[in-house]
């Protein structure tokens, strides 16, 4: 079972921050880090999950309504009077570059199923190619037509199609979106093992995020693997590695 850090170590540190990514990159045996990208009003790629900044920062409004300079003024509380900022994709690659070249991987989710973010596919592919990191990246999205575009931009890219049910992921894949891997919710494996066995099945969790307290429950990894799961994206990967 390959383990990924969901938005970094997002149980102990604020999600999608350089701090959460730095801590995740320190974990021995971690397959990779999952993160989310959107575009600012002036076209910069920033790493944030929600389409709005309200939940994770001290700001209000949609990411796309802010310029990068304006977003950088928002604060993400890490506790003890310290704060992080919403990072750019470039800043994340600057932080993780050496780790990525040493084998760590990134799952970059394009958050374009609500707002289309024209040109985001071209921007991220260009950036990754300029950094010579193509082999370390998995691109994923709920928006199947975006993956079609990604496949044309980079025929060799590894693509994962997101949905809640694994059957819906497979339906989109077979519909021609160009995906290689299935990225369903971990409790929505509604297909027999035989239909999933030829694919990477990277499941995602919802779970508790910082500053919520962990529940202390532990997943049975052997049982999940028997269900056909090849990779799991966890808020607290440090507990399992």
């Amino acid at each position: 079972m390959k383990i990924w850090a969901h938005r970094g170590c997002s149980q102990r540190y604020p999600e999608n921050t350089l701090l959460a990514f730095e801590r995740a990159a320190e974990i021995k045996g971690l397959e990779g880090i999952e993160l989310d990208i959107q575009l600012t009003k002036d076209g910069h790629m920033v790493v944030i999950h929600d389409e709005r900044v309200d939940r994770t920062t001290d700001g209000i409004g949609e990411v796309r309504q802010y310029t990068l300079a304006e977003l950088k003024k928002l604060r993400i509380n890490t506790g003890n009077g310290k704060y992080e900022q919403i990072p750019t994709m470039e800043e994340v690659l600057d932080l993780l570059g050496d780790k990525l070249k040493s084998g760590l991987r990134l799952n970059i989710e394009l958050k374009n199923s609500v707002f289309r973010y024209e040109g985001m596919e071209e921007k991220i592919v260009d950036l990754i190619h300029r950094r010579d990191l193509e082999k370390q990246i998995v691109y994923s999205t709920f928006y199947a037509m975006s993956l079609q575009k990604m496949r044309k931009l980079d025929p060799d890219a590894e693509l994962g199609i997101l949905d809640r049910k694994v059957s819906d992921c497979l339906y989109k894949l077979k519909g021609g979106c160009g995906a290689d891997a299935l990225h369903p919710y971990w409790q929505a494996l509604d297909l027999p093992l035989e239909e999933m066995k030829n694919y990477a099945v990277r499941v995602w969790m919802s779970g508790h995020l910082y500053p919520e307290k962990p529940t202390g429950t532990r997943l049975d990894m052997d049982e999940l693997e028997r269900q056909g799961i090849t990779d799991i994206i966890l808020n607290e990967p440090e507990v399992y590695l």
Side-chain angles (χ1 to χ4, degrees):
M1 178 80 69
K2 296 175 182 177
I3 294 178
W4 298 67
H6 185 222
R7 309 178 201 171
C9 287
S10 56
Q11 175 65 81
R12 295 190 181 182
Y13 308 98
E15 65 185 73
N16 278 332
T17 60
L18 294 181
L19 176 61
F21 298 143
E22 183 178 29
R23 294 295 181 264
E26 295 169 351
I27 301 172
K28 292 182 179 180
L30 187 74
E31 176 70 11
I33 297 171
E34 186 268 355
L35 53 78
D36 312 272
I37 61 170
Q38 299 185 56
L39 293 186
T40 64
K41 185 178 181 179
D42 49 348
H44 292 275
M45 288 181 288
V46 289
V47 180
I48 182 170
H49 177 268
D50 297 4
E51 284 78 11
R52 296 182 64 88
V53 302
D54 307 42
R55 180 176 63 86
T56 55
T57 79
D58 58 358
I60 296 173
E62 295 171 353
V63 174
R64 62 176 185 161
Q65 295 173 331
Y66 286 82
T67 65
L68 178 59
E70 291 167 341
L71 275 182
K72 283 297 186 179
K73 294 177 183 178
L74 304 183
R75 301 188 302 175
I76 302 170
N77 192 347
T78 65
N80 300 318
K82 297 181 180 180
Y83 299 90
E84 289 273 312
Q85 297 175 320
I86 297 172
T88 64
M89 193 62 221
E90 290 86 351
E91 289 171 335
V92 173
L93 295 181
D94 288 342
L95 174 71
L96 299 177
D98 290 342
K99 291 286 188 178
L100 292 170
K101 290 176 180 178
S102 298
L104 187 72
R105 306 189 73 199
L106 278 186
N107 176 2
I108 301 173
E109 180 181 343
L110 283 68
K111 293 290 294 184
N112 54 6
S113 58
V114 176
F115 304 123
R116 293 295 178 255
Y117 290 123
E118 188 64 34
M120 185 160 69
E121 294 92 347
E122 288 88 348
K123 287 176 184 288
I124 190 59
V125 168
D126 177 66
L127 176 61
I128 294 302
H129 277 255
R130 282 191 280 111
R131 300 282 184 121
D132 294 321
L133 294 171
E134 302 95 300
K135 293 181 180 179
Q136 301 310 117
I137 307 299
V138 177
Y139 300 104
S140 64
T141 176
F142 282 84
Y143 185 38
M145 291 184 69
S146 182
L147 285 193
Q148 278 187 324
K149 189 174 183 180
M150 294 292 287
R151 178 58 72 213
K152 291 178 182 178
L153 290 169
D154 186 350
D156 297 321
E158 184 172 355
L159 306 180
I161 186 65
L162 279 156
D163 213 305
R164 186 169 182 84
K165 294 180 180 179
V166 72
S167 60
D168 290 332
C169 292
L170 188 60
Y171 180 81
K172 289 178 179 178
L173 185 152
K174 290 185 175 181
C177 69
D180 310 288
L182 308 174
H183 289 207
Y185 181 58
W186 76 287
Q187 290 181 314
L189 301 181
D190 59 338
L191 290 176
L193 184 61
E194 308 82 67
E195 293 191 48
M196 299 184 292
K197 65 181 181 181
N198 294 323
Y199 302 100
V201 181
R202 295 189 187 94
V203 300
W204 47 274
M205 316 285 288
S206 50
H208 294 261
L209 295 161
Y210 179 90
E212 296 178 65
K213 300 298 181 185
T215 62
T217 57
R218 290 290 299 269
L219 297 167
D220 184 340
M221 292 298 190
D222 291 336
E223 174 57 28
L224 294 178
E225 197 165 6
R226 284 192 288 270
Q227 293 175 25
I229 294 170
T230 61
D231 302 61
I232 188 162
I233 304 171
L234 293 169
N235 297 345
E236 44 183 357
E238 66 277 7
V239 171
Y240 295 88
L241 291 170

